[in-house]
Amino acid sequence: MSSYSAMCSEDRAVLNTIFNPLLPLGEVYTEEFLPIEKGEDTADFDRCQTDLDRQAVSFELKGVQLAESGDLSGAVDAFSRAAQKAPHRPAAYNNRAQVYRIQGNIDAAMLDLNRAIELSGGGRGKSGSQALCQRALLHLKMENREGAVADFTAAARHGNRFAKTQLVKLNPYAALCNQMLSIAMTTLHSPPAKNN
């Protein structure tokens, strides 16, 4: 087999099960097969349905710039204005939660993440999936492993690669199994030379 894309779907599913044991059996996870999320939260003004949506996106972009420049209170204000303009968009809540987390305001971050997840239909789309991952990381920080696993699992079901890698890291048996299978596959493809 010269390349992954030349394999039949059954072969890809077997390899996927070996290298991604936490995914449902038969679900193929590779870069080329990842689901593409058509997000409600992009900065593409053509997708915005109303003038208020476009204004919200402008405030979101301003909030990102302010956060990157270190003006966290300005970023919170910009994300708050975005949420006021278009309260149905999860992106503003997700972004504001990141700033709250950086500021150490975990309660406010959790409230915003819960709202972003709710607005995204349980974690769908880019913002919803990111909100699940952020909430999972906060759960880990608060030593709530079960909550973290539940959120990473939900985000992984929506195609979030980061969540999938975190699930493997949180499962030491899966990580060990992956390591052993990786060694076995490498040995299989390049067996040791025979001595004559």
Side-chain angles (χ1 to χ4, degrees):
M1 288 176 242
S2 60
S3 75
Y4 185 85
S5 60
M7 291 181 184
C8 70
S9 62
E10 290 83 9
D11 290 340
R12 285 192 298 266
V14 169
L15 286 176
N16 187 62
T17 302
I18 292 169
F19 294 111
N20 298 293
L22 298 176
L23 295 179
L25 191 59
E27 179 181 322
V28 177
Y29 166 59
T30 66
E31 296 293 337
E32 61 189 43
F33 293 106
L34 278 176
I36 297 171
E37 296 286 357
K38 304 246 189 260
E40 71 289 334
D41 48 359
T42 65
D44 183 359
F45 285 83
D46 296 334
R47 291 190 204 175
C48 292
Q49 305 213 343
T50 68
D51 187 47
L52 289 176
D53 286 337
R54 285 186 283 282
Q55 289 176 32
V57 169
S58 292
F59 281 117
E60 289 168 22
L61 292 173
K62 182 176 181 174
V64 169
Q65 292 170 343
L66 289 167
E68 288 176 349
S69 72
D71 183 359
L72 298 181
S73 60
V76 167
D77 290 341
F79 293 133
S80 296
R81 292 190 68 185
Q84 290 169 350
K85 295 288 183 185
H88 60 280
R89 292 175 49 83
Y93 297 98
N94 180 58
N95 289 328
R96 188 171 65 184
Q98 289 186 50
V99 178
Y100 282 146
R101 181 184 52 78
I102 291 167
Q103 291 177 323
N105 190 345
I106 303 304
D107 292 337
M110 277 293 208
L111 286 173
D112 274 359
L113 292 172
N114 291 339
R115 184 70 178 141
I117 292 164
E118 176 188 328
L119 289 172
S120 66
R124 289 178 174 75
K126 184 178 178 184
S127 288
S129 177
Q130 289 177 344
L132 283 167
C133 288
Q134 278 198 82
R135 191 170 73 178
L137 292 171
L138 287 178
H139 282 309
L140 286 176
K141 182 177 179 136
M142 296 183 296
E143 298 181 14
N144 177 2
R145 192 173 188 284
E146 286 180 24
V149 169
D151 282 346
F152 280 138
T153 300
R157 283 191 190 119
H158 295 300
N160 187 293
R161 291 180 288 184
F162 175 76
K164 291 176 183 183
T165 61
Q166 293 306 303
L167 283 170
V168 172
K169 287 179 182 178
L170 287 172
N171 183 343
Y173 297 111
L176 180 61
C177 182
N178 272 352
Q179 183 181 18
M180 290 175 4
L181 286 170
S182 178
I183 292 168
M185 293 298 288
T186 302
T187 303
L188 179 67
H189 287 296
S190 55
K194 291 183 181 181
N195 293 335
N196 288 356

PDB file of all heavy atoms in Angstrom, residues 6 15 49:
ATOM      1  N   ALA A   6      -4.925   5.259  -0.569  1.00  0.00           N
ATOM      2  CA  ALA A   6      -5.115   4.121  -1.467  1.00  0.00           C
ATOM      3  C   ALA A   6      -5.722   2.921  -0.750  1.00  0.00           C
ATOM      4  O   ALA A   6      -6.139   1.959  -1.383  1.00  0.00           O
ATOM      5  CB  ALA A   6      -3.782   3.729  -2.095  1.00  0.00           C
ATOM      6  N   LEU A  15      -6.963   0.459  11.065  1.00  0.00           N
ATOM      7  CA  LEU A  15      -5.870   1.306  11.546  1.00  0.00           C
ATOM      8  C   LEU A  15      -6.396   2.380  12.496  1.00  0.00           C
ATOM      9  O   LEU A  15      -5.771   2.689  13.509  1.00  0.00           O
ATOM     10  CB  LEU A  15      -5.133   1.958  10.378  1.00  0.00           C
ATOM     11  CG  LEU A  15      -4.227   1.025   9.572  1.00  0.00           C
ATOM     12  CD1 LEU A  15      -3.632   1.769   8.392  1.00  0.00           C
ATOM     13  CD2 LEU A  15      -3.138   0.440  10.439  1.00  0.00           C
ATOM     14  N   GLN A  49     -26.437  37.038   8.995  1.00  0.00           N
ATOM     15  CA  GLN A  49     -27.797  37.176   8.501  1.00  0.00           C
ATOM     16  C   GLN A  49     -28.360  38.575   8.691  1.00  0.00           C
ATOM     17  O   GLN A  49     -29.220  38.999   7.943  1.00  0.00           O
ATOM     18  CB  GLN A  49     -28.675  36.149   9.191  1.00  0.00           C
ATOM     19  CG  GLN A  49     -28.108  34.764   9.015  1.00  0.00           C
ATOM     20  CD  GLN A  49     -29.176  33.728   8.921  1.00  0.00           C
ATOM     21  OE1 GLN A  49     -30.299  33.954   9.270  1.00  0.00           O
ATOM     22  NE2 GLN A  49     -28.799  32.579   8.429  1.00  0.00           N
TER      23      GLN A  49
END
